[in-house]
Amino acid sequence: MKKPLVGALFAVLLLGAGTAPASAATSHDAAAPTKVKAAAATASRTAADAASSGHAAVQAQKVRPKAIGFAGTVALSNCSGSVVRTPGSQPGDPALVLSNGHCMESGFPGPGEVVLNQRSTRSFTLLNASGSGIGTVRASKIAYGTMTDTDISVYQLTSTYAQIENTYGIKALELNTAHPVQGTAITVASGYWKRTYSCNIDGFVYRLKEGEWTWKDSVRYTSACQTIGGTSGSPVIDNATGKVVAVNNTGNEDGQECTDNNPCEVDENGRVTVREGINYAQETYGIVPCIGTGNVFDLNRAGCTLPKP
């Protein structure tokens, strides 16, 4: 996983990459493997590098994608995220923030564990299109969180969409309602690092296994998206529509098989494939059917297949 950054890792990255948001170092985080090598090697990449990666992706599709900025993204204390809405969300509904399950302040949920309506006062730095922090929004609860089948957390905020737009001029990113498509040009927008990664959807993984966790139908990026620690929870945005199709969560660092920070692909026949240096995300279209009137999670709604507590 693109682990939440701990204090020691933050110090290394601060020296190599300039200023960065403060990291959260819980006892659980400190015990978890970190991405020092990958982050230190890539944190100092220049804007020209990112532009080059984006250009390669454009050439692959022979189209010019929309320029994706940071409007609607947020920086957590240790991860990235975004303010999101469903097509049915209303201006007066409490806004939602999407990130990873492994980014929750309560620590990594175990296999089979689901967090539902757990009180939270976590704060998020809201970014504008250029990546500048323009304000702070705060959670009232973790509406949903899990690392089973997928790796997501959805926070409900104390602010409504209308209040955020009126105060900061920021609109929420919309969750796409359909399965993503292979070959789609995408941008991973990290609010933590204020950096984007451009590539394409390379394909889909029947089962992605990392340590004790297994995720279903994961998105695999082409090699241009070399995401690092702190990019966990970043929205994966379809360049053509501007909608969120997935949430960034992990990558194979060292070529190991199915270990922490080294996820492996498992096909329908149990055959294992290891792709060193390749990164992954979890699809988000399955979240939409589980959210009803007032942005309330209802896991019994028709079409909702998210794991239940």
Side-chain angles (χ1 to χ4, degrees):
M1 285 159 281
K2 302 297 179 188
K3 292 289 191 293
L5 299 182
V6 298
L9 174 58
F10 174 69
V12 172
L13 295 173
L14 185 60
L15 293 174
T19 59
S23 61
T26 65
S27 59
H28 187 97
D29 293 336
T34 61
K35 297 184 64 64
V36 175
K37 182 176 72 174
T42 56
S44 61
R45 287 181 129 205
T46 64
D49 293 331
S52 176
S53 297
H55 180 69
V58 173
Q59 290 296 97
Q61 281 205 315
K62 297 183 179 181
V63 296
R64 178 178 291 277
K66 292 181 180 179
I68 302 297
F70 298 95
T73 65
V74 299
L76 285 65
S77 57
N78 55 1
C79 286
S80 300
S82 57
V83 180
V84 296
R85 64 182 298 274
T86 72
S89 295
Q90 299 300 308
D93 290 340
L96 303 175
V97 163
L98 171 69
S99 189
N100 284 149
H102 77 260
C103 290
M104 291 191 294
E105 67 269 36
S106 53
F108 295 5
E113 183 180 352
V114 173
V115 174
L116 192 65
N117 295 324
Q118 176 176 292
R119 184 177 179 276
S120 173
T121 58
R122 194 168 196 180
S123 61
F124 311 88
T125 300
L126 184 66
L127 306 183
N128 63 14
S130 64
S132 297
I134 54 174
T136 300
V137 291
R138 190 172 297 278
S140 61
K141 65 181 179 180
I142 302 173
Y144 185 87
T146 192
M147 288 177 66
T148 299
D149 295 349
T150 185
D151 184 8
I152 61 170
S153 60
V154 181
Y155 288 81
Q156 185 178 102
L157 301 184
T158 59
S159 305
T160 66
Y161 295 115
Q163 288 170 332
I164 291 173
E165 186 170 357
N166 291 338
T167 303
Y168 304 109
I170 296 296
K171 294 183 178 181
L173 301 175
E174 185 174 332
L175 295 174
N176 197 37
T177 59
H179 191 286
V181 177
Q182 185 175 11
T184 298
I186 54 172
T187 297
V188 182
S190 170
Y192 185 96
W193 287 115
K194 301 177 179 62
R195 178 180 168 189
T196 60
Y197 302 79
S198 298
C199 61
N200 295 72
I201 294 178
D202 185 54
F204 305 97
V205 182
Y206 177 69
R207 298 289 184 267
L208 189 66
K209 181 173 175 56
E210 179 173 345
E212 56 184 330
W213 293 279
T214 300
W215 304 305
K216 297 180 178 179
D217 197 22
S218 302
V219 173
R220 179 177 61 242
Y221 305 142
T222 52
S223 60
C225 279
Q226 290 295 306
T227 51
I228 61 175
T231 63
S232 285
S234 299
V236 179
I237 302 169
D238 182 328
N239 291 352
T241 66
K243 295 181 180 181
V244 176
V245 296
V247 58
N248 179 68
N249 81 308
T250 195
N252 187 292
E253 294 181 18
D254 307 311
Q256 297 178 23
E257 184 177 303
C258 312
T259 63
D260 288 345
N261 296 324
N262 290 282
C264 63
E265 300 181 10
V266 183
D267 69 13
E268 294 91 333
N269 300 313
R271 184 170 57 243
V272 174
T273 301
V274 173
R275 301 179 192 268
E276 184 175 359
I278 295 299
N279 296 289
Y280 302 88
Q282 301 307 306
E283 298 163 355
T284 51
Y285 75 100
I287 298 173
V288 176
C290 303
I291 298 176
T293 302
N295 268 359
V296 175
F297 268 80
D298 179 359
L299 303 183
N300 293 315
R301 294 187 84 229
C304 179
T305 59
L306 288 177
K308 300 179 180 179

